[in-house]
Amino acid sequence: MSDNDGPHHDATMPLSAADLQLLAKQRTRRPALMLLIYEHGVTRTEVLAERGGLVVGRDEPADIVIADATLSRRHARLTREGDRILVEDLASTNGTRVNGTRVERAHAGADDELQFGGVSASVLAPTAQQGLEEGLLGHDSFSELVRYETARCRELRGRAALLMLAPTRRETSARPAAAWWRAMRVELRAVDRLALYGQNVVELILPQADEAEAIATARRLIDACAARVELACGAALLPNSATSAESLVQACRSALGAARRRHRGEDIIVAEDRGQPQRDAAPDQSPADEPVVASATMRELYEIVERVAPAAIPVLIQGETGAGKELVAAAIHRRSNRHGGPLCSLNCGAIPRDLVESALFGHEKGAFTGAAQRREGVFEAADGGTVFLDEIGELSSEAQVALLRVLETKRLTRVGGRDEIAVDVRIVAATHRDLEQMVSDGEFRLDLFYRLNTMMLRVPPLRERREEIAPLARRFMALANEENGRSVGEIAPLALRALERHVWPGNVRELRNAIDRAVVIAGGDTITLEDLPERVRALGRTGADPSRQRAAPPSEDRPQDPPQQAGLEALLADALRGDEADVDFKTRMQRLEAQLIVSALEACDYNQTETSRRLRIPLRTLVNKVRQYDLSRPDE
């Protein structure tokens, strides 16, 4: 205040007796307790008031409504008594439990676990509520973040790590993750994100983390929770373990399963490096690898496989990520005259540029920094068998030259070596990219393309063989039951309808991930609509015709919100006009892409940040597209 503010500018008014009493009450008032409810993979909180009881039930007029069939309409009453809660079961059908014990009437305190039917909840102390404010993501939001990180790593050649932590199999008294995940927050960086994958499973994404950093973080998290629970951790790395979001999740979940079983005696297992040769000397199929052939297109594909397999010619397999190209490659090997030899696989998209030739052809000791011993590459390892080169479109121009030479001469030289080594292998290559277009753009060698493309097979995406969705889902449900010790035996009609109507941008791999998690979080013996991911659930509640979603296949690892159907049909009609015979396919696709971006920009008033969020593409990509197509605001 200045001197002009009047004669009382420095005076302090005394508090009245009523004010002092009010302050005293506020100081002694107990902080609110909170109930963290875990419902179908989503968490929500309810504040437990000082006075009166709250009824938990399936429908109104319950105070806390949990729309789950395992709850009774009036299931239980929760009454705050100081720092504890009196829990009273209201003659519910499926019972109320406190820390796993069924009760009629019992007290619960901070960090105790409650269970109403098949739904779990945790009592949070005031100090634990800060962790909630820091953000525990729902699984759907977390999945979108994983897809974003995958796209970022692909475009910028970055890296990231996905972790999943769960109690070990020998942890017989493990409490739900809601009781121990908060101990992890202090061990994480500000950019790391954490979510609940299932009641007993926590998932984390660590941007820009390599294998050493991922393992160190996992160790800190396990140690931080050691007083409460014995944990195991599975880790998968971008791009080493996988190059797509769905394959990253699948690899991480498999690594977690091995760690929970104490595979190799380790409590932290990193998914295999797909940028290193993977040798399968006896490639027997597991039930998960058995192809489901229930559609005309798949029957035709495997009939061609039967005819092509005995020949020695190279085969090029094209198809979207997750559609099953690896299964086709394995089927070709098993039916070939080389089935007694090894099938060696290499994901070309997961190899660092400076190590491509080493992965393909091997290296001598001391050939480069880190080459502590001689190592054979994928071609040597597969001698007498089959080499499967996945994502071959990702090879650099230098690696393409070296590969072409080996295909022509059937001889190779290790990196750092002098001697030529004869190799006898059959090549099966796969890609989700348009190699012919890459040849036209100068990104792929024409002579290498001709060498590989002696026989081309196309694996149809799952949206083109919808009759296989139900049998695939039931197979994955059985496998998930076995892996997780569950006994889920049915898929509810609404859930099955949603599965059959979804477009499945991640194809079979995305379907398996959805079913695996649904089995983990299912409250009973049936997968319900609420157990599925949100973007799948939406189609279970509507009468949308799935065939109308086929026109615009999603771009690789860049999920987009579906446009309004009428708007999409108009854009497609314009892009596919038949009166422009001189317009090639690439130009039509660019026109469609530009029109979609314009529509989103206009809807967001040309706010590019909001537009990138709505289209689910990185802001940098959007800015480049706006510049490429000259899509700035008209008045600019």
Side-chain angles (χ1 to χ4, degrees), residues 94-107:
N94 294 316
T96 301
R97 289 172 171 80
V98 176
N99 295 329
T101 302
R102 185 162 181 167
V103 300
E104 299 297 330
R105 179 184 174 94
H107 283 90

Side-chain angles (χ1 to χ4, degrees), residues 571-608:
L571 291 176
L572 287 171
D574 181 67
L576 301 176
R577 285 199 307 267
D579 57 354
E580 298 178 88
D582 60 335
V583 178
D584 60 18
F585 177 77
K586 181 179 179 181
T587 301
R588 294 174 189 268
M589 291 304 297
Q590 288 176 336
R591 177 187 297 163
L592 175 61
E593 181 179 50
Q595 290 178 341
L596 286 171
I597 293 174
V598 166
S599 297
L601 285 168
E602 291 175 347
C604 299
D605 194 27
Y606 281 81
N607 182 316
Q608 292 188 355

Side-chain angles (χ1 to χ4, degrees), residues 42-117:
V42 179
T43 57
R44 65 184 175 100
T45 57
E46 296 286 347
V47 175
L48 302 174
E50 281 277 359
R51 296 180 181 178
L54 296 177
V55 173
V56 178
R58 188 176 70 239
D59 296 314
E60 294 182 350
D63 303 293
I64 301 176
V65 176
I66 303 176
D68 189 284
T70 63
L71 271 71
S72 299
R73 293 183 182 278
R74 286 172 49 86
H75 196 98
R77 179 182 289 108
L78 308 179
T79 305
R80 174 81 179 271
E81 293 184 352
D83 294 331
R84 298 194 303 169
I85 300 171
L86 175 61
V87 181
E88 299 174 278
D89 184 73
L90 301 179
S92 65
T93 301
N94 294 316
T96 301
R97 289 172 171 80
V98 176
N99 295 329
T101 302
R102 185 162 181 167
V103 300
E104 299 297 330
R105 179 184 174 94
H107 283 90
D111 290 338
D112 282 338
E113 299 301 317
L114 310 182
Q115 187 171 356
F116 311 107

